[in-house]
Amino acid sequence: MEMSVPGVDGLRRQLGARLFLRVAGPSGTSNRARIHGTPGPRWFAPERPIRVVHGDASMFIGGLSALLLQSLHPLAMAAVAAHSGYRGDPWGRLQRTSTFLAVTTYGTAEDARRAVDRVRGVHRRVRGTTAAGEAYWAADPPLLGWVHAAEAQSFLRAHQVFGRSPLDPAGCDGYLADTARVAAALGVVDPPRDRGELRARLQAYRPELRATPQAREAARFLLLRPPLPPAARPPYALLAANAIALLPPWARELLGLPPLGGPGIRLAGHAMTRAIRWAMAPPPQGDAVRGRKAAG
């Protein structure tokens, strides 16, 4: 049984609350209670791999790596630059994304469907033209397919490197099968359901990918100019370095990023994910119900 040390436990709660506020937003506590506490059938049973991956601190690295990889599709990047407000409201975008992941992973089937319907409604309204004159529509199935494939690759890769309990081969394929259910609901046609299909899908997109000025600007914003207080920038830099290291070599080359990935960088990544996991862990005793929900 874990012992509670008053000073350390207070620090843990303070850090955990700050992290949770950043990721989940001011409505995070009420959203968490609704997501985990509402009775009803779920899309995914408690033992499913998607719950393991999306509930782990490795998502902090995986999410950043996913944004970098997704930016390499010119149409996806143009849509994000024009419509998402990632520069003006980056935390709001993060909070909306994290809430969507939580609802579809842990929430009731009814709430998951409503969340998917809301996102599909937003996608249908996002249309435009790139600087090169290419039309884009966020609801276009091939474009949705790229966003999903890049996200699944990044989340799973981060979990296998930095997760508390890396999945076995069957678990990795199970994770992709789980995420395929959400992707299909969002409008992705035939999403990859195992590692072989994911590798083939990523390879099929390669001819469409390039680092546009918008993609390079997004990378500079994410890696060099994050909207963080000075004290938070060194630990964030360690997360960012490991997010870069997780990218496929060809993706790093397109973005002009250094080939990070030495043992020191990876050890720092493990230390950071352990620190996040520690800070966001539930109290050892006391409010057990709240603790279980926070751990989800």
Side-chain angles (χ1 to χ4, degrees):
M1 180 181 296
E2 184 177 351
M3 298 297 293
S4 177
V5 180
V8 174
D9 195 50
L11 175 63
R12 170 188 287 191
R13 288 176 174 165
Q14 183 180 40
L15 291 175
R18 289 180 180 177
L19 279 171
F20 184 74
L21 179 63
R22 283 290 193 183
V23 174
S27 300
T29 301
S30 59
N31 285 338
R32 180 176 62 191
R34 176 179 54 80
I35 290 167
H36 294 274
T38 302
R42 264 70 177 163
W43 280 359
F44 305 106
E47 71 277 6
R48 290 304 304 170
I50 192 171
R51 287 187 169 225
V52 176
V53 174
H54 291 177
D56 192 83
S58 59
M59 289 286 285
F60 281 79
I61 295 177
L64 184 53
S65 191
L67 292 175
L68 294 170
L69 185 56
Q70 289 168 341
S71 76
L72 288 173
H73 197 297
L75 303 186
M77 187 63 240
V80 168
H83 300 274
S84 78
Y86 79 90
R87 291 189 190 88
D89 185 25
W91 293 112
R93 184 174 184 236
L94 171 64
Q95 290 154 12
R96 290 188 293 273
T97 301
S98 67
T99 300
F100 176 81
L101 287 170
V103 171
T104 52
T105 303
Y106 305 104
T108 66
E110 182 179 354
D111 282 347
R113 171 55 64 183
R114 279 200 291 261
V116 165
D117 289 344
R118 282 193 295 271
V119 171
R120 294 194 72 160
V122 171
H123 286 167
R124 283 192 291 268
R125 297 191 295 271
V126 174
R127 295 177 179 269
T129 306
T130 70
E134 300 168 288
Y136 62 80
W137 181 38
D140 182 34
L143 196 56
L144 290 172
W146 163 250
V147 172
H148 169 68
E151 187 176 271
Q153 157 77 11
S154 302
F155 289 172
L156 182 57
R157 172 71 174 150
H159 184 79
Q160 292 305 96
V161 175
F162 299 106
R164 184 201 297 271
S165 302
L167 302 172
D168 62 16
C172 291
D173 289 343
Y175 172 74
L176 295 174
D178 289 346
T179 59
R181 177 174 185 175
V182 181
L186 285 168
V188 178
V189 176
D190 191 25
R193 289 173 168 81
D194 60 41
R195 289 163 297 160
E197 291 182 3
L198 179 60
R199 285 192 295 269
R201 192 64 51 87
L202 291 169
Q203 184 62 31
Y205 277 105
R206 286 284 301 278
E208 303 175 35
L209 307 180
R210 62 182 185 273
T212 62
Q214 288 176 322
R216 292 180 181 272
E217 173 56 29
R220 285 192 293 269
F221 178 81
L222 290 169
L223 300 175
L224 302 177
R225 300 194 297 272
L228 291 168
R233 294 198 173 209
Y236 179 86
L238 295 176
L239 295 177
N242 280 281
I244 294 170
L246 289 182
L247 290 170
W250 54 263
R252 289 198 301 270
E253 291 173 9
L254 286 175
L255 287 168
L257 298 173
L260 302 176
I265 294 293
R266 181 161 292 191
L267 285 173
H270 281 287
M272 285 306 305
T273 50
R274 283 196 296 269
I276 293 169
R277 199 175 288 123
W278 171 82
M280 300 191 76
Q285 291 295 336
D287 190 350
V289 173
R290 185 180 65 186
R292 285 195 297 272
K293 293 174 183 175

